[in-house]
Amino acid sequence: MVTTLNKKNAILLITLVALFSSIYNAFLPLHGDEAYYWVWSNNLQSGYYDHPPLIAYFIAFFTYFGDNEFFVRLTNVFCMSVAIFYMYKIALENFNEQIATYSLLLFLSIPLANAGYIITTPDSPLILFWTLSLYFSIKAFQSNKTIYFILAGATLGFAMLSKYTAILLVFSTLIYTLFYRRDLFLNYRYYLSITVAFLVVLPMVFWNYKNDWISFMFQLNHGGLAKTELHYNYILEFFGGHFGVITPVFFTLMLIMIFYKKFYKSEVEVYLLIAFMTTFFFFLYKALYARMELNYDAPAFISASILVSVYMYNKGCKKLFFYGVVTALVLTLLARVGLLFFTLQVQDRMVGYKESVELLAKHREANDALYGNHILSASLLSFYLKDNPETNIANNTRFSQYDMWKKPLKDGLILSYENISYDLMTKYESVKVVDKYELFKGEKLFKTFYIYRVSGAKKEKI
């Protein structure tokens, strides 16, 4: 039997998870993507090549007291905690305390949510403002109060400032309005909400306009827009992966729930279902053409967790819920232990950089320019050097925000996780390997970090 949690105890549980995650996060080296967003936080602007800007603002706020893993990751601990509390409030205010408890325990236990507590990405603020927008939209639809329409629009705008995939919540709300609440099209508050959302995103839209819509176009191409060749292994990988990150019990129930028509008795349930299905099936479709990461549709499982909880409560599935939570916690515990103690095997992109940066620091001279071979190495180089210097990328690699900040090449040091000597010789007169850091998996050499000293930059051909 599952004991219900009132609001006070729900806050206490979420706080304990947040404290545990904050301490846990302090022992993990920074991922290269996190360092990349940290670099953005030191160069605040209204848009970036890869994503909208809100992740940079959050990191800038939380790293005011220190540039280390603990403060960088307070972003996702805060965002996930507030999002989960408002998920609980949606369930509590529209159903009952038992369903709210189910929703809370379900989401807190699954590996997907726990991953959200660990790695800081644009998904962190996206999940926060997606959930807040769901909450305030429901309040607006039910009460018709102006303040809730304003808050729904503002939080939807901030979701768009977090990650462009928030457009799926816009489509979800529009679909719901078209089929269930056409009266809203005659309500001035509805258009006020849209206006507020537009005003929130206007600086980011203007940044894109000034930069030839470069960020919008990158995301469209990154999402496989131009790809037409079918890859059935990608969709199987994406679909099957959810049985791991959501767990076999809860993901199976979510799939059953989609087609169980008798289940949906209220407009809140319908709105939550539309928000889930629009997001999940969009990425399932995109997985036919390109590899989709399992975090892409993470916001969908806020509403899905509530709906599964309603289903299990109505069906009296207390034992199944218990087994589902136990399964989820076992998988989550294995993932957390694996990441903490077997980081190289679980996430090799977090290992070796700190040590190689320390090695590079021994060769650093006063006027050296500093470069990486990729956004990962360039960002982590800046993060782990004590003075957090400006870095860039010296060689040819995929276009990134670094290219938008690029300056003429200078003499200095380059950190690379692969041998790029040939590429560097096309850019410098002198290229020398001054040191190496070798990373082993057991007795087998896994990766070599090269430290180059380069001088005599050649003029770039136009």
Side-chain angles (χ1 to χ4, degrees):
M1 184 174 179
V2 180
T3 304
T4 59
L5 297 172
N6 59 30
K7 191 182 292 187
K8 181 179 179 181
N9 288 332
I11 292 172
L12 177 61
L13 177 60
I14 294 169
T15 302
L16 290 174
V17 173
L19 289 172
F20 166 77
S21 296
S22 298
I23 296 168
Y24 173 91
N25 290 345
F27 291 94
L28 286 173
L30 213 64
H31 189 286
D33 289 343
E34 295 177 285
Y36 187 38
Y37 305 134
W38 170 83
V39 169
W40 293 4
S41 76
N42 292 305
N43 299 270
L44 293 178
Q45 50 192 61
S46 55
Y48 298 91
Y49 174 72
D50 311 69
H51 289 290
L54 204 55
I55 184 64
Y57 301 162
F58 267 103
I59 294 174
F61 175 80
F62 283 110
T63 55
Y64 178 80
F65 296 103
D67 288 312
N68 55 48
E69 293 88 349
F70 176 84
F71 287 110
V72 169
R73 291 182 176 136
L74 280 184
T75 294
N76 40 302
V77 172
F78 171 81
C79 289
M80 291 296 295
S81 299
V82 176
I84 291 170
F85 173 68
Y86 272 88
M87 179 191 69
Y88 173 87
K89 278 174 67 70
I90 292 171
L92 181 65
E93 294 175 10
N94 293 281
F95 302 103
N96 59 47
E97 196 171 85
Q98 185 68 73
I99 290 171
T101 301
Y102 277 4
S103 304
L104 178 64
L105 296 179
L106 189 164
F107 199 73
L108 277 176
S109 65
I110 59 175
L112 181 70
N114 280 269
Y117 266 104
I118 299 169
I119 304 296
T120 301
T121 71
D123 293 296
S124 304
L126 173 66
I127 289 174
L128 169 60
F129 289 109
W130 181 294
T131 309
L132 289 175
S133 187
L134 278 177
Y135 176 80
F136 289 121
S137 293
I138 291 169
K139 297 287 281 187
F141 298 153
Q142 292 174 336
S143 70
N144 200 36
K145 291 183 177 179
T146 302
I147 184 61
Y148 289 127
F149 278 95
I150 292 173
L151 289 171
T155 50
L156 182 59
F158 283 119
M160 286 294 298
L161 287 181
S162 303
K163 200 171 181 180
Y164 295 123
T165 49
I167 193 66
L168 295 171
L169 184 56
V170 176
F171 289 143
S172 299
T173 304
L174 182 59
I175 292 168
Y176 171 76
T177 307
L178 280 169
F179 288 96
Y180 295 93
R181 291 296 305 272
R182 281 190 288 271
D183 60 294
L184 289 171
F185 289 123
L186 300 177
N187 189 334
Y188 77 90
R189 297 176 183 86
Y190 189 70
Y191 299 99
L192 176 62
S193 182
I194 294 171
T195 302
V196 170
F198 177 74
L199 290 175
V200 171
V201 302
L202 188 59
M204 181 265 289
V205 173
F206 186 63
W207 181 91
N208 269 278
Y209 166 73
K210 289 196 301 180
N211 290 279
D212 299 319
W213 310 106
I214 191 170
S215 186
F216 290 166
M217 295 309 299
F218 166 71
Q219 286 298 331
L220 287 171
N221 292 324
H222 182 62
L225 178 69
K227 297 179 181 179
T228 57
E229 184 181 354
L230 294 175
H231 293 273
Y232 295 106
N233 58 314
Y234 289 165
I235 194 169
L236 289 174
E237 178 185 294
F238 181 72
F239 183 79
H242 284 83
F243 286 97
V245 298
I246 307 297
T247 76
V249 174
F250 292 135
F251 187 59
T252 299
L253 286 172
M254 288 174 187
L255 296 176
I256 293 171
M257 176 194 71
I258 292 171
F259 303 102
Y260 194 70
K261 294 181 181 179
K262 294 181 180 179
F263 165 61
Y264 302 101
K265 298 178 181 178
S266 71
E267 290 189 2
V268 171
E269 290 167 314
V270 171
Y271 181 48
L272 293 174
L273 177 67
I274 291 171
F276 167 56
M277 289 181 62
T278 302
T279 309
F280 176 66
F281 283 111
F282 172 80
F283 285 109
L284 195 63
Y285 165 73
K286 297 303 292 181
L288 282 168
Y289 302 97
R291 178 169 276 113
M292 297 288 113
E293 301 294 338
L294 293 171
N295 62 298
Y296 286 0
D297 63 346
F301 296 99
I302 292 288
S303 51
S305 296
I306 298 172
L307 291 174
V308 166
S309 298
V310 174
Y311 177 85
M312 298 184 82
Y313 174 80
N314 290 340
K315 290 291 184 179
C317 302
K318 291 183 179 180
K319 285 187 178 180
L320 184 59
F321 177 79
F322 175 77
Y323 294 138
V325 168
V326 170
T327 302
L329 287 173
V330 169
L331 292 174
T332 293
L333 181 63
L334 289 173
R336 280 190 176 269
V337 169
L339 185 59
L340 186 62
F341 295 104
F342 305 96
T343 314
L344 179 58
Q345 288 73 23
V346 176
Q347 182 52 265
D348 59 74
R349 297 175 80 181
M350 297 170 69
V351 181
Y353 290 95
K354 188 172 184 178
E355 295 81 359
S356 58
V357 169
E358 290 174 355
L359 191 60
L360 177 142
K362 297 177 181 179
H363 299 276
R364 186 181 175 189
E365 297 176 0
N367 296 316
D368 280 338
L370 299 167
Y371 302 96
N373 69 312
H374 187 270
I375 61 171
L376 304 181
S377 51
S379 302
L380 287 163
L381 179 59
S382 178
F383 183 82
Y384 280 121
L385 282 173
K386 290 182 179 180
D387 57 335
N388 303 130
E390 180 181 293
T391 59
N392 213 298
I393 299 172
N395 55 301
N396 298 316
T397 186
R398 73 102 161 161
F399 195 92
S400 70
Q401 184 63 39
Y402 278 110
D403 291 275
M404 301 186 73
W405 291 330
K406 205 146 197 173
K407 299 175 181 177
L409 293 175
K410 297 180 180 179
D411 298 352
L413 294 172
I414 298 172
L415 174 66
S416 174
Y417 55 74
E418 57 189 356
N419 191 331
I420 56 169
S421 298
Y422 180 78
D423 193 359
L424 293 177
M425 287 178 194
T426 65
K427 299 178 180 299
Y428 289 94
E429 296 293 342
S430 175
V431 177
K432 296 178 181 179
V433 176
V434 294
D435 219 330
K436 295 179 184 179
Y437 176 76
E438 295 180 330
L439 186 62
F440 287 83
K441 274 188 178 180
E443 296 182 358
K444 185 177 180 181
L445 179 63
F446 172 68
K447 187 185 293 186
T448 301
F449 292 84
Y450 296 85
I451 299 168
Y452 295 93
R453 176 161 292 285
V454 291
S455 58
K458 299 177 182 179
K459 290 185 178 179
E460 294 189 51
K461 295 180 180 179
I462 300 175

